Amino acid sequence: MSELTIVSSSPHVRSNDTTSHIMRDVIIALIPATLVGFYVFGVAAIFTVLISTVSAVFFEYLYQKLMHEPVRINDGSAAVTGLLLGLNLPAALPNMPYMLAIVVPIIGSLFAIIVVKQLFGGIGNNFMNPALAARAFLIISFAEHMTTWPEVDTVASATILGSLKEGGVVDQSVFEAFIGTVSGSIGEVSALAILIGGLYLIARKVISYRIPVFYIGTVGIFVLLYSIFNGGLDLSLVGYHLFGGGLMLGAFFMATDYTTSPMTSIGQIIFAVGCGVITALIRLFGAYPEGVSFAIIIMNLAVPLIDRYTIPRAFGEEK
């Protein structure tokens, strides 16, 4: 065989995109939502996000060193996981035990990086989104901490979805929920900021529009029909569910994870609609006011099945 002939296994398609380039774009896209969270919640939010990000990078470095693997913290994936986890946490309250405010983000990063990511083979092999899995783990383990929200004036308060679930009156308008002057997790309070970042990722072709559009659209239609059959058309209820929780952050930055979302266009649509239906069911009929984390995790588990029935068979392959 000629020395000029290179034999290698498939795939043979090459791309200039690298993990570090993609993670850099994700970090850039998260800047608007991060800055709004810092502005709304102050130093406590900076403290929480910094701890979760640094600890995620540290645990990735520590695991790869202990396992004698190449250290890949420079690809930015651990930093993105830590940043997303931090944005999914509530900012620390003034009366919160000092150690608890430190320990919760660290435990979350440990669970995301070691348990969900590295023990399953590292980047590209995890079966669910590490940041979301860590958030779900923290909700179960530290329920009071994860459901106590600071307001702009640092007084603990319920979120919009929490008020709706309890049948109370929502003090904020839909517009306030859209721009970000409401209570909630650090990175989910401003739908506008998240939308700017999401459009940047779509424009850079880092993500497709399919999952965010069909996910958000499904929740909107489901809530609209619910309102029609329960007292009449209520567009404000639709607005609160679209902008008042973690839907926008989950749809643009969590559900679109390459590793845990389907590969085909039709598969991505099925995945997104499933996320939307489960989110709406949990919010409207479940005991928990928010359903984004559990909806995406449940659909993450269905991805192998979706891919199995939506990936076209290779020419000549037997059915």
Side-chain angles (χ1 to χ4, degrees):
M1 183 178 294
S2 169
E3 294 181 354
L4 298 178
T5 303
I6 300 175
V7 179
S8 63
S9 60
S10 60
H12 302 292
V13 177
R14 293 179 179 272
S15 171
N16 291 326
D17 291 334
T18 63
T19 301
S20 58
H21 288 163
I22 293 170
M23 296 303 159
R24 180 197 61 194
D25 278 333
V26 174
I27 292 173
I28 292 173
L30 284 169
I31 288 176
T34 304
L35 292 180
V36 172
F38 290 171
Y39 174 76
V40 172
F41 300 113
V43 176
I46 299 174
F47 184 71
T48 301
V49 172
L50 185 63
I51 291 177
S52 65
T53 304
V54 171
S55 58
V57 174
F58 169 75
F59 286 126
E60 177 121 313
Y61 173 85
L62 180 64
Y63 181 89
Q64 291 171 342
K65 272 291 185 183
L66 292 176
M67 294 296 109
H68 305 289
E69 297 177 357
V71 176
R72 297 191 176 92
I73 58 173
N74 290 333
D75 66 13
S77 62
V80 167
T81 297
L83 176 58
L84 282 171
L85 174 62
L87 296 179
N88 273 279
L89 298 176
L93 293 170
N95 58 351
M96 179 178 294
Y98 184 69
M99 285 304 298
L100 186 62
I102 298 175
V103 168
V104 169
I106 293 176
I107 292 179
S109 294
L110 172 67
F111 188 84
I113 296 298
I114 302 297
V115 178
V116 183
K117 182 180 178 182
Q118 293 297 343
L119 291 184
F120 287 89
I123 186 170
N125 295 296
N126 48 288
F127 65 95
M128 65 176 69
N129 185 289
L132 272 185
R135 176 179 179 174
F137 173 76
L138 293 175
I139 288 174
I140 297 171
S141 304
F142 302 92
E144 183 177 357
H145 172 82
M146 292 294 292
T147 55
T148 303
W149 313 95
E151 216 173 46
V152 177
D153 58 1
T154 68
V155 177
S157 66
T159 62
I160 288 176
L161 296 181
S163 297
L164 290 174
K165 177 60 67 178
E166 295 170 359
V169 177
V170 179
D171 297 326
Q172 301 90 350
S173 66
V174 174
F175 179 73
E176 288 175 313
F178 180 71
I179 62 173
T181 55
V182 296
S183 185
S185 295
I186 296 169
E188 68 182 31
V189 292
S190 173
L192 175 61
I194 297 169
L195 188 60
I196 292 172
L199 292 177
Y200 171 80
L201 291 181
I202 293 174
R204 294 280 297 167
K205 301 186 186 303
V206 174
I207 65 171
S208 162
Y209 71 90
R210 295 184 195 89
I211 291 178
V213 168
F214 280 90
Y215 187 177
I216 296 169
T218 299
V219 173
I221 292 172
F222 201 115
V223 176
L224 181 67
L225 294 175
Y226 173 84
S227 72
I228 292 174
F229 289 104
N230 287 275
L233 178 64
D234 185 354
L235 292 179
S236 64
L237 181 67
V238 178
Y240 286 139
H241 276 276
L242 293 185
F243 308 135
L247 177 61
M248 301 293 284
L249 185 64
F252 281 104
F253 291 95
M254 305 291 200
T256 52
D257 180 12
Y258 288 173
T259 305
T260 56
S261 61
M263 289 184 276
T264 64
S265 299
I266 185 64
Q268 291 172 1
I269 293 173
I270 294 171
F271 174 83
V273 171
C275 288
V277 170
I278 296 172
T279 298
L281 285 173
I282 293 175
R283 286 182 173 185
L284 297 174
F285 301 104
Y288 190 57
E290 178 59 275
V292 170
S293 299
F294 295 109
I296 295 176
I297 289 173
I298 291 171
M299 289 308 297
N300 285 160
L301 301 178
V303 166
L305 185 64
I306 295 173
D307 279 340
R308 178 180 178 183
Y309 289 102
T310 57
I311 294 178
R313 295 180 183 278
F315 180 74
E317 181 180 351
E318 294 183 0
K319 294 185 178 179

